Amino acid sequence: MTERLAALDVGTNSTRLLVADVADGAVVAELTREMVITRLGKGVDRTGRFDPAALARTLEVLAGYAEKCRRLGVERRRLVATSATRDAADRQVFLDGVRDLLGVEAEVLTGRAEAAAAYRGATAGGVRSGGADPRTGGPGPDGDQATLVVDIGGGSTELILGDGGTARAMVSLDIGCVRLFERHLHSDPPAAAEVAALRADVAAHLARVAGVLDPAAAERVVGVAGTVTTVAAIALGLDTYDPRRIHRAALDAADITATAGKLAAMTVAERAALPVMAKGREDVIAAGALLLDQLVETFQIRQVIASETDILDGVLLGLADGPPGG
């Protein structure tokens, strides 16, 4: 039986929607995939509370998504919130707003749950031997290779090691593009000392990883979310953001280093003028790219495969597993 499902992901930087038809635990048709940068996590790292304007902006976008779900005849929906909501002392006002708008209880994911959903989304939908991904037309992942998924968000970064579609070990770190931008990058463009401080912050957090998992055990590294896909689009020299070209594109370490350096040397206005830059990402993208570059350097990763499927897809498939309702 085919069901029409919706997944909504409210992150620190962006608010996203995926509506798809699912049958037998797999996506058979994707109806819409949308993203608006609402910056719900603005200031949360410093204050521990939501910025009122950011909260209002996020709920406004969710109201639009709720209406789209009604128009598309969505049967069940699931909304998850991640780092910013985990950290906000006044999260209840957001949770109440979600209930009023969508008629569902928002799930505030733990770091481990967020990591598990990201891994499932990044590794789902492909077929063995490099065949086509039915949702994007791009190549799918390769069977049961040992895989490290790196999910760089606005407030946190998850690293998940697994084989095939099964996650075996995971760690969630309180570093993300919004959090690092607000902590360190105060000049425009960033000063060398600010970049150095950001890298040192990232390195200190990455030191925790070895106690949980060994990145060197991975046969491939897959990067998900807006930082990675935007870096991929810039490294590929795209004239417009094209998910089909970005999905499963391989980025060498040198490409990542060059792109991070380029972004860090630009002003916010110069980044905003890049044809692949999503509106609202231009201020934090340098922080995210530097984080990615520091991670690649720390673990001596030679190549990162960009994926357009991520936690949003994992949340949708998790909904498909559950009982009807919602």
Side-chain angles (χ1 to χ4, degrees):
M1 182 183 73
T2 301
E3 255 193 310
R4 182 157 295 177
L5 305 178
L8 300 97
D9 169 34
V10 183
T12 300
N13 197 42
S14 63
T15 299
R16 301 188 300 150
L17 168 70
L18 171 62
V19 178
D21 291 336
V22 180
D24 298 323
V27 172
V28 295
E30 185 176 304
L31 280 76
T32 190
R33 185 184 293 260
E34 301 184 23
M35 185 274 293
V36 178
I37 292 178
T38 55
R39 195 65 59 82
L40 179 63
K42 180 181 179 182
V44 170
D45 184 61
R46 178 177 55 84
T47 68
R49 303 182 69 83
F50 288 131
D51 175 83
L55 179 61
R57 197 162 53 235
T58 301
L59 291 174
E60 182 181 2
V61 168
L62 288 175
Y65 286 169
E67 177 57 30
K68 178 151 287 189
C69 286
R70 285 190 286 270
R71 290 202 311 268
L72 291 174
V74 167
E75 298 167 63
R76 292 192 293 138
R77 64 202 75 191
R78 181 185 182 196
L79 184 146
V80 302
T82 54
S83 177
T85 308
R86 284 197 296 267
D87 291 352
D90 57 346
R91 70 180 68 88
Q92 193 59 49
V93 67
F94 168 73
L95 302 180
D96 292 343
V98 167
R99 188 185 307 110
D100 291 344
L101 288 170
L102 289 147
V104 298
E105 297 294 330
E107 300 173 49
V108 183
L109 298 184
T110 64
R112 288 186 63 83
E114 182 178 356
Y119 187 89
R120 184 172 186 182
T123 57
V127 295
R128 297 176 189 273
S129 304
D133 184 320
R135 287 164 292 180
T136 65
D142 300 322
D144 297 325
Q145 280 185 304
T147 301
L148 178 69
V149 171
V150 176
D151 180 2
I152 297 176
S156 67
T157 292
E158 282 68 45
L159 284 80
I160 315 100
L161 183 65
D163 50 77
T166 305
R168 302 297 184 190
M170 58 193 72
V171 62
S172 181
L173 307 171
D174 280 335
I175 46 174
C177 61
V178 174
R179 204 183 290 265
L180 291 171
F181 166 72
E182 291 184 350
R183 284 181 188 172
H184 301 294
L185 304 187
H186 308 301
S187 305
D188 187 23
E194 295 172 349
V195 170
L198 184 152
R199 285 186 174 275
D201 192 357
V202 173
H205 281 81
L206 294 178
R208 288 181 45 209
V209 172
V212 181
L213 57 86
D214 178 13
E219 297 171 80
R220 64 172 180 171
V221 178
V222 177
V224 302
T227 286
V228 173
T229 58
T230 302
V231 167
I234 295 168
L236 292 169
L238 301 185
D239 293 329
T240 186
Y241 191 95
D242 184 349
R244 288 178 175 267
R245 293 186 63 186
I246 294 165
H247 189 57
R248 303 297 169 190
L251 303 177
D252 292 337
D255 298 328
I256 293 168
T257 297
T259 303
K262 173 182 177 179
L263 288 167
M266 299 172 82
T267 64
V268 171
E270 288 169 339
R271 293 182 215 128
L274 294 172
V276 298
M277 192 63 60
K279 182 176 174 55
R281 196 182 298 284
E282 61 272 10
D283 55 348
V284 299
I285 185 60
L290 289 165
L291 189 168
L292 177 62
D293 186 42
Q294 186 64 44
L295 186 149
V296 165
E297 178 183 314
T298 298
F299 300 125
Q300 298 184 310
I301 294 168
R302 290 178 295 179
Q303 188 180 79
V304 175
I305 301 167
S307 175
E308 284 283 344
T309 58
D310 53 29
I311 185 175
L312 195 58
D313 303 76
V315 168
L316 186 87
L317 294 172
L319 176 62
D321 293 341

